[in-house]
Structures are given as structure tokens and as C-alpha cells.
Amino acid sequence: MKKIFLLLFTTALLISCSDDIENLNTNVKDPSVVPGEALFTSAQKSLVDQMMSTNVNDNVFRLLNQYWTETVYTDESNYDLVTRTIPEQHWQYLYKDVLKDLDQSAININNTPVPVTENPLNKPNKLAIIEVLNVYTYAILVETFGNVPYSQALNLQYKTPKYDDGLTIYKDLISRLNKAIANLNPAGASFGDNDRIYNGDVSKWIKFANTLKLRLGITISDIPSEAALAQATVASAAPNVFTSNLDNADLKYLTATPNTNPLYVDLVASGRSDFVPANTLVDKMNELNDPRRAKYFDNNLDDPSTPEVEYVGGTYGASNTFSNYTHITPTIQVPDYPGTILDYAGAEFLLAEAAERSLYGTPADAETHYNAAITASILDWGGTQADATTYLATSEVAYATATGNWREKIGHQAWIAYYNNPFEGWSTYRRLDYPVLVAPADAVSDVPQRYTYPIIEQSLNKSSYTEASQAIGGDAVETKLFWDKF
């Protein structure tokens, strides 16, 4: 009997020791479940970081738009997107660091009990804001690549997710956005300090969501089969979009790493001088005597003996000696300069398009929105109302006398205004076909209309990759996407 008791005691002791040893692997200082609000903050910052970055490993939209060009290493200015696997980085940032975090944020918030003292509208507001950023992020992926993983994208059950049709995704995004807008209620709060863009202001998110909705409607407005959807989407969104620069979706960066503006990281902290403004943009702004030159560019070539500052852009796609050309303004290189993903000037350009397309108002209204867009851009960059009035009075800028049709007029001015929001500049260029950008002599392709799919997809998800490539008309940068073929 004593032997049996001793055996049971020893066994119990071993089990107890085993439990204690396994508990040593538990980090009691960190929560076992990350709060959904923290995941939202992380996703929000990762999204804006990727859209603002100018690190050539991650983001080359400023180069594709010919806003900037390179000095020593010119591969990306000549549209080599493969050597540094740029499409793969963009793909992974948006899927892994943004969409996955947003997905888990929604799960954790859903699973967290609401205190009885909290406004019951707060949780639905948080979930709706997460959904709005989901829609924005998927729209960026579709506009970058075409067909992409969507219905199976975040489900680990699918090791090789299928690529859904881009237009089908886009139409579903509009539906999701409508539902999210309906669920946003300014009588409740949301993320508070965890929201680095609007500090939890639900009324601002309602404007953001409607501005995004306007953008989605305009994007599909050239597709004949989607005319009714484009009309309904634009008309319902337009009265509720941004109404001033105070509505701009600016993520607030801080002065200390790792929360600094990516341009500070890429241009200052790196200690490198890899970029100068491109002659494509500088020459156009010189031609128009654009008052934003002093805001976009540095005055490093200033000659005190001459009355005007000289701005000289580097030759796009060529090697450019950094000291010989105009430099990028120091303003956007400070650590806490905000990153903007949607703004009031952009909303007004979209409304000008909507008027010309008779989707909201009439073509006669386009000039008013065009003028408002340019004025908003000049003021947002620190210019004055007088600067805007003088600029809009010049024959090359005035809507009635500027060269070309409405696509050319809006296209050129939107391209200039999107200087520090390069993805929007690229999307507008592709949709309106202005300005006319010319590939440099040594380019490996024509001006890119999309990113090619990540190379890793060809090996890990080959069947889905092959099907998607064939469906969109070929995995080439020149392939025009479904919204850009008309």
C-alpha cells in the first residue's frame, strides 16, 4: 500500500513540475490577446507608411509619375520593378501588415465584452471604420495588380487562394462600403487616440468613406456595362464628401522612431541623396509659373543676383548629379510631416470629373470644382488665396482657356496636386491618360499601367497566378486594367 501511495505522489509531483516548467514559456508581461484597437493602429500606420514611402524596395509611385527621378541608381526610373521585387513588397505589406491586422482587429473587438458604462454605438463604429480601411486597401490592390486574392485571401484554410475578378471585387467593395457608411453613427465614439488619422472622430470617417466611395464610382465610370452603378455610387456619395482641407486624411507622425514620416527615414535618416525632382514635373510647373514650386522644391539653385529662383529638374531616367539639380523641399522631410491618403483637393477634382461625366451635376459645374481643387491644393501647401487667384487667371490654367479637353485639363492639374500622394497621381494619370508621360530611352518597358504579380506567386500559387495572368490579358506592366481600357 505504501508503494502505491509513493507512486501516486511521485506521479503527481512530476505532473506539477511539468506544469511549472511549461508555465515558464508564458510571457506574463504581455497580453495573450492583443487589443483590437492596438491592431487597428498598427494596420493604419502600416498602410500609410507603404503609400508614402519612397524606399525603392517598397514603393516607386513617385518615380512612375515622373515626379522624382534617381541620381546614381536609375533602375527603377527605367521601370525595372523586378530586381528589387517591388511588387512583392507592396503585395505583402498590404495583405500581411494591413489587411491581416485589420481582420484580427475586428475579431478581437467583436470578442471583447462592452462595459456597461460604454456607449453601445462605439463598437459598431469601430467595426465600420475597420471595414472602410479594408475597402480602401483592397481597392489599392485591385488598382495596382488587377485580379487579386479576395474571397479566400485571409483564410488560412486556402494555401493557394484563387484570384478573384477585379471588377467583381470592385463592385463588392462598393457594397461593403455602403453598409459600413450606414453603420457609422456620430452619436457614438470610436478609437480615440488609437486612431492616428481622425482621433476617433466618426463624422470625419463618414466624410472619408463617402470620398472613397466617390473615388470608386469615378474609377469604374468609363466601363459601359457599369454606367448605372457608377451613376448611383457617385450621386449618393458626392453630397457627403470632404468640404475643406480640415477633412484631409492625414496620419500624424511623431518626431521619434519608429513613428516618423517614411520620407524622413528614406531621405534624411538614410544619409543618402538618391532623388531629385524630375524635369517632367519641374518643366511643367515652370511653364505654368506654378506658385507651389517654392513649396514642392528647395531653393538650392537660387542666385541672389536674379529676381526669381531657378528650378531645374533632373533628366528623368538618366544619371543625375545631385548637386546640379533642384532638391526636394525640406518641408516633407521632417520626422513628423503627416502622410495623406485622401484629401479635399482630390475630392474636388473627382467632383469636376463627375460633373463632366454628368454623374453629379452638369458639365457647367466642372469649372467650379476644378477651381476649388487647385485652390485647396495651393492653400494646403502654405500658399495664399491671392496665389490661387493669380494662378487660375492665367490662360494656361483657366478652365475655359487651358489646352485640350476636360480630361487633359483635369488630368494635368490633378497630377501636379498629387505630388505627395503619388498613388492617386498614378491612378488619375491612368484613368484620364494625362499628362502624356514618355518612357526614358533606357527603359525596360513602356510607362507602367500596373505592377506585375509578385514572382513568388509563380512558384507558390502557380495555378491561380497563371489563370489570373491570362484573365487580365497578360502579366505585363503595360497591360491596362479593367477600368482603364475605354
Side-chain angles (χ1 to χ4, degrees):
M1 185 68 181
K2 289 183 180 180
K3 290 183 179 180
I4 295 174
F5 176 79
L6 183 59
L7 179 61
L8 291 172
F9 176 79
T10 304
T11 301
L13 182 62
L14 288 172
I15 292 173
S16 175
C17 290
S18 174
D19 288 342
D20 289 342
I21 292 170
E22 289 194 11
N23 286 337
L24 293 176
N25 293 322
T26 302
N27 185 350
V28 296
K29 295 184 178 181
D30 290 334
S32 58
V33 177
V34 178
E37 291 78 6
L39 287 167
F40 172 81
T41 307
S42 176
Q44 192 180 64
K45 180 179 180 296
S46 294
L47 172 62
V48 181
D49 280 357
Q50 174 57 17
M51 301 308 290
M52 293 298 105
S53 173
T54 190
N55 184 320
V56 291
N57 294 297
D58 303 329
N59 181 332
V60 292
F61 297 131
R62 285 181 175 81
L63 301 179
L64 299 190
N65 282 321
Q66 301 188 12
Y67 290 150
W68 296 356
T69 190
E70 292 166 294
T71 52
V72 179
Y73 306 103
T74 63
D75 290 350
E76 292 73 33
S77 297
N78 285 285
Y79 309 142
D80 178 358
L81 307 183
V82 177
T83 300
R84 295 182 188 270
T85 63
I86 295 162
E88 182 177 331
Q89 302 306 317
H90 188 60
W91 179 283
Q92 288 194 354
Y93 273 119
L94 296 186
Y95 274 115
K96 178 174 64 69
D97 296 330
V98 180
L99 289 171
K100 188 57 183 173
D101 274 3
L102 289 175
D103 183 60
Q104 191 62 52
S105 173
I107 291 171
N108 291 3
I109 288 172
N110 255 323
N111 291 339
T112 301
V114 178
V116 293
T117 56
E118 183 174 321
N119 189 328
L121 295 175
N122 293 2
K123 178 182 281 193
N125 279 337
K126 291 177 183 178
L127 296 174
I129 291 168
I130 289 171
E131 182 71 336
V132 169
L133 283 189
N134 274 322
V135 170
Y136 175 88
T137 306
Y138 271 118
I140 297 300
L141 283 164
V142 171
E143 292 166 21
T144 304
F145 296 100
N147 295 6
V148 294
Y150 180 66
S151 58
Q152 299 178 354
L154 304 180
N155 191 335
L156 295 180
Q157 174 185 344
Y158 300 102
K159 304 302 182 186
T160 54
K162 69 174 183 176
Y163 288 45
D164 293 276
D165 172 71
L167 178 56
T168 302
I169 297 172
Y170 224 76
K171 291 164 73 171
D172 190 57
L173 293 178
I174 292 172
S175 177
R176 290 173 64 174
L177 192 55
N178 283 333
K179 293 176 183 176
I181 291 171
N183 288 334
L184 286 167
N185 191 329
S190 65
F191 287 101
D193 292 343
N194 290 108
D195 174 9
R196 299 272 289 277
I197 294 179
Y198 290 128
N199 201 39
D201 188 333
V202 177
S203 63
K204 295 288 189 182
W205 278 108
I206 292 172
K207 287 187 176 183
F208 177 95
N210 278 285
T211 304
L212 174 58
K213 183 178 170 181
L214 171 66
R215 182 184 175 284
L216 298 184
I218 290 292
T219 300
I220 61 171
S221 60
D222 277 334
I223 306 174
S225 63
E226 304 306 326
L229 177 60
Q231 172 86 51
T233 302
V234 169
S236 60
N240 305 299
V241 300
F242 294 156
T243 55
S244 79
N245 284 328
L246 296 176
D247 296 327
N248 293 352
D250 296 339
L251 186 132
K252 283 72 177 175
Y253 286 106
L254 306 178
T255 57
T257 56
N259 295 305
T260 52
N261 167 21
L263 295 181
Y264 166 77
V265 176
D266 299 335
L267 301 178
V268 179
S270 68
R272 301 173 65 92
S273 303
D274 290 336
F275 305 100
V276 291
N279 61 333
T280 315
L281 176 65
V282 176
D283 290 353
K284 184 64 177 178
M285 295 182 75
N286 282 338
E287 174 191 328
L288 299 175
N289 197 27
D290 196 304
R292 287 165 291 189
R293 288 175 299 169
K295 310 298 180 181
Y296 286 13
F297 314 130
D298 198 6
N299 63 353
N300 56 292
L301 298 183
D302 187 19
D303 182 349
S305 65
T306 59
E308 293 186 356
V309 176
E310 183 180 20
Y311 300 102
V312 181
T315 302
Y316 185 78
S319 295
N320 296 281
T321 302
F322 183 75
S323 59
N324 291 348
Y325 296 97
T326 291
H327 295 167
I328 297 156
T329 176
T331 301
I332 65 174
Q333 300 182 50
V334 298
D336 57 347
Y337 191 80
T340 306
I341 55 174
L342 283 181
D343 64 8
Y344 169 54
E348 288 289 355
F349 280 123
L350 290 170
L351 289 172
E353 272 196 63
E356 286 287 5
R357 297 174 186 274
S358 297
L359 299 173
Y360 180 71
T362 68
D365 301 314
E367 181 176 0
T368 300
H369 292 301
Y370 171 89
N371 291 346
I374 293 171
T375 301
S377 175
I378 290 171
L379 294 177
D380 196 42
W381 279 92
T384 66
Q385 182 63 54
D387 291 334
T389 301
T390 300
Y391 184 63
L392 287 166
T394 61
S395 60
E396 297 89 347
V397 177
Y399 202 69
T401 55
T403 301
N405 59 22
W406 67 265
R407 288 176 177 267
E408 183 171 354
K409 296 173 185 182
I410 295 173
H412 271 108
Q413 288 299 326
W415 173 68
I416 293 171
Y418 282 130
Y419 173 65
N420 199 39
N421 192 351
F423 187 87
E424 293 302 321
W426 188 42
S427 291
T428 302
Y429 152 73
R430 290 179 291 164
R431 185 176 65 253
L432 298 180
D433 300 316
Y434 288 100
V436 177
L437 300 180
V438 178
D442 294 330
V444 300
S445 71
D446 203 346
V447 180
Q449 305 299 308
R450 61 180 290 273
Y451 273 8
T452 51
Y453 289 122
I455 294 174
I456 196 171
E457 285 289 295
Q458 299 177 33
S459 55
L460 298 183
N461 195 10
K462 186 173 183 179
S463 177
S464 296
Y465 159 81
T466 302
E467 182 180 351
S469 299
Q470 293 173 349
I472 67 170
D475 186 22
V477 296
E478 297 93 343
T479 300
K480 285 183 173 287
L481 300 177
F482 65 91
W483 50 270
D484 187 31
K485 294 183 177 182
F486 305 95

